[in-house]
Amino acid sequence: MRALILSNMYPTAERPALGPFVRDQVEALRRRDDVEVELFAFGPGPRALVNAARVLRSRYRGQRFDIVHAHFGLTAWPAVLARLGPVVVTLHGNDLLVRRSYLATRAALPFTALTAAVSREFSGNLPGAGASRRVAVLPMGIDLHRFRPIPRAEARARLGLDPDGPYLLFPHDPSRPLKRHDRALEAAGDVPLLTLGGVPPDEVPYWINAANAVLVPSAKEGFGLAVIEALACGVPAFGTPVGIHPLVLGGIEGAYCGEWDRDAWRAALRPHLEAADPRVDGRARAELFSADAMAARVVEAWRDLLAERNA
């Protein structure tokens, strides 16, 4: 099977933190011996989006792919207009949660062969999902080689942090409003709160392992990779019950999933802040959401789609 992956969120030297989860899925697909994967990545913004269809038609003139898979709703437009094969689009978050992107994304979906969302809860942002509208659930996965337990002392030394003081981590750029940095600050109180704005992806595991706990008090989530990354590192993860959080955090001793309540979150955090090296046994749960496991789901969805079209 020959597949073309399109994305306007893919890491570059200038934007290393842009869409590392898409890169991880592409690399996982390329590790398989049953698919041939090509990548067409372009930058964010309307100008790049408009140029993408033209460049695609020029680059792949006369070619066809078994599957053209677009990541992020707006990217479905150049995928459809290039006419290189049946289009699958995975919706990630702001493509449905931001009104302007939502309207443009909705307009493209009737021209795609399959719409996918990164979680079942997130698919509910599409009217009729699961009833009058078929929506596949194709989560993104994490790189288990990158996200791994690292001795806390080693991580803090690398980052120049106090080896003994408590730290909490908000694993996003504070400027992203739906992630609710303000809530994380409230939960942290007097405890230093680290953030990941501008941190290169390869450094993120050190920031996670340096923290006593990772705080993800989001108002909404498309999926929720941050809590999985924390569990893969053996670090306590706290999340509101949105996206994949309830499924991932449920039943993990030391993890916490609850509605936002400052006092409840602070009480649950207290044992982790008092412990010298708090850890949780979350690696096995995180392995269920590895990039390779999620890539296998993607290939299965591709095969099912092609079988239906050829029936």
Side-chain angles (χ1 to χ4, degrees):
M1 188 189 322
R2 186 172 181 232
L4 174 65
I5 309 294
L6 276 72
S7 182
N8 65 348
M9 47 182 185
Y10 203 87
T12 64
E14 296 76 22
R15 295 186 176 95
L18 180 65
F21 44 86
V22 178
R23 177 198 60 196
D24 290 345
Q25 184 164 106
V26 169
E27 291 180 353
L29 288 166
R30 284 175 167 166
R31 285 194 289 270
R32 299 175 61 94
D33 58 10
D34 57 348
V35 291
E36 177 187 342
V37 173
E38 293 197 36
L39 171 69
F40 180 81
F42 56 99
R47 180 175 297 179
L49 194 67
V50 169
N51 288 336
R54 177 181 56 79
V55 175
L56 279 168
R57 285 194 296 264
S58 173
R59 180 176 298 180
Y60 297 108
R61 181 175 289 111
Q63 299 185 49
R64 290 284 293 178
F65 291 86
D66 297 299
I67 291 289
V68 178
H69 195 138
H71 282 278
F72 197 72
L74 297 179
T75 311
W77 278 113
V80 168
L81 293 172
R83 299 182 179 181
L84 296 173
V87 175
V88 178
V89 57
T90 295
L91 308 177
H92 286 265
N94 284 349
D95 38 12
L96 294 185
L97 300 178
V98 174
R99 179 171 173 76
R100 184 170 59 180
S101 296
Y102 173 81
L103 294 174
T105 295
R106 284 282 307 276
L109 297 185
F111 304 103
T112 64
L114 178 64
T115 299
V118 289
S119 73
R120 189 163 303 282
E121 183 200 51
F122 179 60
S123 72
N125 290 286
L126 281 173
S132 59
R133 180 192 298 271
R134 177 188 177 191
V135 180
V137 178
L138 298 178
M140 308 303 289
I142 68 166
D143 183 344
L144 290 171
H145 298 287
R146 191 163 75 249
F147 292 99
R148 67 199 187 280
I150 299 170
R152 186 155 280 128
E154 177 186 338
R156 291 187 175 185
R158 182 185 182 98
L159 302 176
L161 300 174
D162 181 348
D164 300 317
Y167 290 95
L168 295 169
L169 175 66
F170 176 73
H172 299 289
D173 188 321
S175 66
R176 299 177 66 184
L178 292 178
K179 301 299 184 182
R180 297 303 300 265
H181 180 245
D182 58 323
R183 290 177 175 178
L185 283 172
E186 283 193 61
D190 294 333
V191 178
L193 180 66
L194 309 172
T195 70
L196 291 184
V199 173
D202 288 345
E203 291 295 303
V204 170
Y206 292 94
W207 290 85
I208 294 174
N209 279 280
N212 291 58
V214 171
L215 307 184
V216 194
S218 309
K220 294 182 179 180
E221 282 285 350
F223 184 58
L225 282 174
V227 298
I228 304 174
E229 292 165 353
L231 293 185
C233 295
V235 175
F238 281 51
T240 42
V242 295
I244 202 72
H245 292 176
L247 178 61
V248 171
L249 299 177
I252 302 293
E253 185 176 356
Y256 182 86
C257 185
E259 297 289 349
W260 169 247
D261 179 285
R262 187 197 67 175
D263 294 337
W265 277 54
R266 283 186 175 182
L269 277 169
R270 190 170 300 117
H272 298 312
L273 295 175
E274 293 173 350
D277 189 15
R279 293 284 176 170
V280 296
D281 187 9
R283 183 78 177 178
R285 182 69 56 82
E287 287 173 351
L288 299 175
F289 300 91
S290 72
D292 290 302
M294 296 303 99
R297 287 183 61 159
V298 169
V299 173
E300 182 179 359
W302 290 349
R303 293 196 185 284
D304 288 345
L305 174 61
L306 293 177
E308 291 173 6
R309 293 172 66 88
N310 295 328

